C-alpha cells in the first residue's frame, strides 16, 4: 500500500476562529479516517484528532493553517478537512 | 517578581542579549577591557556606584563612555539607586535600555539567572497527557482514542495530579531534565469522549492538578501487538530535545485497568531510580543459580 502524504494550507474564514465547535467538527471529521492528520501553525503542530490540541493552536480568524495528511486514505481526509475550512465550519 | 522599572531606552528594549548571562562591570570601569563580557547584561550594584563616586566628574564620564563603547546590551541598576545623569545621557546616545530594581544585587542576580534560563530554554509542544504520580512525572502517549484521557481520569480519581491533557509543552533545563506543563488556554481542562470538556480542579479539587512536573517516564499506550517486553530487562528510551527518557509500551485490552498499571509503572520507575531494578535483580539471581549448575531445593 502506497504511503500518501498531502500538505495543504487553509485560511480560517469564520468569525471566531478555531474555538470549541470548529475544533469538534475537525476532530469528528478526522476521526473517520485511518491516516495521520496534523495541523500546523507557527511551528506548533498538533493532531487534528485532538480537541485540546486544536484549541491550543491559536487558529485566529484570518490565519493560515497547514494541514498534513498521511496514510492510505490521506486524499479523502484532506478533501473533508478542506471542505470544513471552505465552508467556514458552517458558522456565520 | 524582579520588580523592574524602566528608566531609559524604551525604544531599545528589543535589543538582543547575545549571551544569556550577567556581568558586574566593576573591573571594566577601572579601564581594564582585555577581558570584558560585553555581550551580557551589565549589573550596577553598590560596588560600581561607590567606585564611580570616587572619581572626578570628567573621569567618571570617560570611564562610563568606555563601557558603552563596548556595545553592551543593557544595564540594570540594583537597590533602587538613583541613576547618574552620565549613564542616562550615554544610554540615550548608545541606544541602551536602563532598568532599575529595588532588589539587592546578589538576590537580583540569583533570581534573574533562574528566570533567564527559564525564558530562554529550548521548548517544544508534544502530543500526550502528563500526570504526576507520587512525585514522578509520567507522559502518556498513544493514538487518538486509545484512552489517554480516560487513564488520566482514573489516575486523578486515585488522588494523583493532572499536569496537561493531550497537548504538553516541554522545555529542557540546564540540569538536563525535561519539564512538562500545559498550554495556558486549555490548562487543567480535559476532553473525555462522550462527556466533552471538563475542568478538573472544579470537579476534583485543587490537589488534582499540578502546574508543572519533571518528566521521569514515558508510557506509550498501544493496541496489543504480541511482541511486548515481557521481562522489563530491556528498557527502551525516547529522546526529547536530546534528553533520553525511559519509555514503556503498554498494550491496551478491554477490561485491563490501565490506571493501575500506569501507577505501578511509575512506582517501578521510582524504584529503579533508587537503584533497585527488580527485573535485573531477579535475572541476576537466576543466572547465578544456573552458572552454579545446581538448584537447591526448599
Amino acid at each position: 500500500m502506497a504511503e500518501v502524504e498531502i500538505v495543504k494550507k487553509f485560511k480560517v474564514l469564520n468569525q471566531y476562529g478555531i474555538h470549541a465547535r470548529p475544533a469538534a467538527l475537525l476532530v469528528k471529521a478526522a476521526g473517520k479516517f485511518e491516516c495521520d492528520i496534523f495541523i500546523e501553525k507557527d511551528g506548533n503542530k498538533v493532531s487534528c484528532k485532538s480537541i485540546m490540541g486544536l484549541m491550543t493552536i491559536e487558529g485566529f480568524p484570518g490565519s493560515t493553517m497547514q494541514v498534513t495528511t498521511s496514510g492510505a486514505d490521506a486524499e479523502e481526509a484532506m478533501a473533508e478537512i478542506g471542505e470544513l475550512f471552505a465552508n467556514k465550519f458552517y458558522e456565520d | 517578581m524582579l520588580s523592574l522599572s524602566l528608566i531609559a531606552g524604551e525604544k531599545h528594549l528589543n535589543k538582543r542579549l547575545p549571551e544569556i548571562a550577567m556581568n558586574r562591570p566593576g573591573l571594566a570601569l577601572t579601564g581594564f577591557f582585555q577581558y570584558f563580557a560585553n555581550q551580557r547584561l551589565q549589573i550596577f550594584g553598590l560596588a560600581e556606584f561607590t567606585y564611580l563616586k570616587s572619581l572626578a566628574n570628567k573621569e567618571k564620564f570617560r570611564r562610563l563612555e568606555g563601557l558603552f563603547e563596548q556595545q553592551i546590551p543593557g544595564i540594570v541598576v540594583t537597590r533602587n539607586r538613583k541613576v547618574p545623569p552620565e549613564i542616562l545621557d550615554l544610554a540615550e546616545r548608545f541606544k541602551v535600555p536602563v532598568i532599575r530594581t529595588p532588589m539587592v544585587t546578589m538576590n537580583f542576580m540569583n533570581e534573574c539567572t533562574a528566570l533567564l534560563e527559564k525564558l530562554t530554554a529550548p521548548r517544544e509542544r508534544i502530543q500526550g497527557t502528563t500526570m504526576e504520580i507520587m512525585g514522578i512525572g509520567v507522559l502518556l502517549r498513544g493514538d487518538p482514542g486509545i484512552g489517554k484521557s480516560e487513564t488520566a481520569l482514573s489516575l486523578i480519581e486515585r488522588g494523583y495530579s493532572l499536569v496537561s491533557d493531550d497537548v504538553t509543552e516541554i522545555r529542557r533545563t540546564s540540569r538536563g531534565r525535561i519539564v512538562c506543563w500545559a498550554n495556558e488556554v486549555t490548562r487543567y481542562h480535559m476532553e473525555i469522549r462522550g462527556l466533552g470538556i471538563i475542568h478538573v480542579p472544579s470537579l476534583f479539587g485543587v490537589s488534582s492538578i499540578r502546574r508543572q512536573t519533571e518528566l521521569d517516564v514515558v508510557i506509550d499506550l498501544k493496541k496489543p501487538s504480541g511482541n511486548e517486553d515481557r521481562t522489563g530487562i530491556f528498557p527502551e528510551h525516547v529522546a526529547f530535545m536530546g534528553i533520553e527518557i525511559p519509555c514503556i509500551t503498554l498494550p491496551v485490552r478491554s477490561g485491563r485497568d490501565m490506571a493501575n498499571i500506569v501507577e505501578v509503572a511509575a512506582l517501578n520507575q521510582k524504584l529503579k531510580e533508587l537503584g533497585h531494578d527488580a527485573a535485573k535483580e531477579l535475572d541476576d539471581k537466576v543466572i547465578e543459580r544456573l552458572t552454579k549448575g545446581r538448584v537447591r531445593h526448599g
Side-chain angles (χ1 to χ4, degrees):
Chain A
M1 194 162 49
E3 192 76 349
V4 194
E5 183 177 294
I6 306 170
V7 181
K8 269 190 182 166
K9 284 186 175 162
F10 297 107
K11 210 167 179 173
V12 180
L13 296 169
N14 65 322
Q15 192 183 347
Y16 297 111
I18 301 186
H19 60 101
R21 202 184 147 274
L25 285 175
L26 284 167
V27 169
K28 206 174 255 180
K32 288 194 280 185
F33 299 97
E34 279 289 307
C35 62
D36 288 328
I37 308 175
F38 288 99
I39 288 199
E40 206 172 335
K41 182 183 162 262
D42 301 333
N44 283 319
K45 191 173 174 186
V46 298
S47 167
C48 193
K49 298 179 182 181
S50 158
I51 288 256
M52 286 314 205
L54 288 170
M55 283 170 73
T56 55
I57 198 141
E58 298 178 337
F60 301 118
S63 56
T64 303
M65 322 289 279
Q66 180 171 301
V67 178
T68 308
T69 59
S70 56
D73 48 9
E75 234 161 287
E76 295 88 328
M78 184 60 88
E80 190 140 345
I81 300 289
E83 194 124 309
L84 284 175
F85 274 96
N87 288 303
K88 305 182 183 180
F89 307 104
Y90 306 102
E91 286 190 347
D92 301 350
Chain B
M1 191 173 64
L2 298 176
S3 320
L4 302 177
S5 51
L6 185 69
I7 305 299
E10 188 180 355
K11 278 179 283 178
H12 316 305
L13 274 177
N14 59 356
K15 243 194 170 115
R16 235 175 65 84
L17 186 61
E19 219 177 307
I20 309 302
M22 282 163 284
N23 180 56
R24 292 198 66 171
L27 208 49
L29 286 174
T30 69
F32 182 75
F33 284 112
Q34 265 177 41
Y35 198 95
F36 175 50
N38 66 324
Q39 305 207 313
R40 301 181 179 184
L41 202 56
Q42 304 297 320
I43 313 297
F44 277 70
L46 208 52
E48 283 75 13
F49 279 115
T50 313
Y51 176 70
L52 283 174
K53 232 186 206 167
S54 76
L55 298 173
N57 275 350
K58 214 173 155 192
E59 186 62 15
K60 195 201 293 185
F61 186 82
R62 212 175 55 80
R63 300 283 182 86
L64 284 167
E65 195 177 32
L67 189 76
F68 277 90
E69 278 167 354
Q70 301 282 321
Q71 296 180 323
I72 51 176
I75 286 181
V76 177
V77 173
T78 59
R79 291 170 178 265
N80 252 349
R81 298 291 292 215
K82 192 173 170 296
V83 182
E86 294 92 339
I87 291 189
L88 292 178
D89 289 351
L90 287 163
E92 186 66 32
R93 169 143 60 102
F94 287 93
K95 300 184 167 54
V96 173
V98 180
I99 296 163
R100 186 160 63 186
T101 171
M103 292 175 82
V104 174
T105 312
M106 198 176 71
N107 296 348
F108 172 77
M109 289 180 79
N110 288 343
E111 293 280 356
C112 192
T113 304
L115 190 67
L116 281 176
E117 189 206 304
K118 194 174 161 189
L119 291 175
T120 57
R123 46 182 67 198
E124 263 177 34
R125 177 179 292 181
I126 55 174
Q127 201 83 33
T129 295
T130 310
M131 295 290 304
E132 196 189 81
I133 301 173
M134 290 167 290
I136 305 151
V138 180
L139 174 70
L140 295 167
R141 302 192 304 180
D143 288 339
I146 195 90
K148 295 185 291 285
S149 299
E150 286 78 0
T151 304
L153 195 59
S154 303
L155 288 165
I156 290 167
E157 285 189 309
R158 281 164 195 253
Y160 306 127
S161 317
L162 174 79
V163 177
S164 61
D165 179 40
D166 222 11
V167 179
T168 297
E169 314 276 345
I170 57 172
R171 71 164 189 272
R172 193 180 66 204
T173 71
S174 59
R175 294 187 299 125
R177 301 291 315 255
I178 298 290
V179 174
C180 302
W181 74 101
N183 177 279
E184 276 190 38
V185 183
T186 56
R187 174 175 288 159
Y188 309 143
H189 288 83
M190 287 181 89
E191 191 238 340
I192 303 292
R193 259 149 231 254
L195 291 184
I197 294 165
I198 61 168
H199 186 237
V200 172
S202 301
L203 292 169
F204 299 98
V206 285
S207 65
S208 64
I209 47 163
R210 193 146 293 227
R211 201 173 174 82
Q212 60 175 44
T213 185
E214 284 189 358
L215 183 58
D216 293 294
V217 61
V218 176
I219 296 184
D220 280 336
L221 303 179
K222 285 227 171 90
K223 283 182 194 147
S225 64
N227 52 14
E228 293 91 12
D229 183 6
R230 298 294 292 265
T231 60
I233 292 174
F234 315 104
E236 306 235 331
H237 287 82
V238 56
F240 294 105
M241 296 189 282
I243 309 289
E244 297 264 319
I245 307 282
C247 178
I248 298 166
T249 303
L250 290 183
V252 179
R253 279 184 209 90
S254 62
R256 199 173 190 217
D257 184 352
M258 295 314 293
N260 186 20
I261 297 166
V262 169
E263 184 183 10
V264 173
L267 279 174
N268 201 37
Q269 187 56 39
K270 195 172 185 175
L271 201 59
K272 277 187 194 173
E273 278 168 23
L274 289 171
H276 296 289
D277 189 333
K280 204 176 164 300
E281 281 164 29
L282 175 62
D283 195 34
D284 288 347
K285 201 160 98 186
V286 170
I287 289 171
E288 196 195 327
R289 286 168 79 106
L290 290 174
T291 49
K292 275 184 184 161
R294 65 195 157 87
V295 180
R296 256 179 268 134
H297 294 281

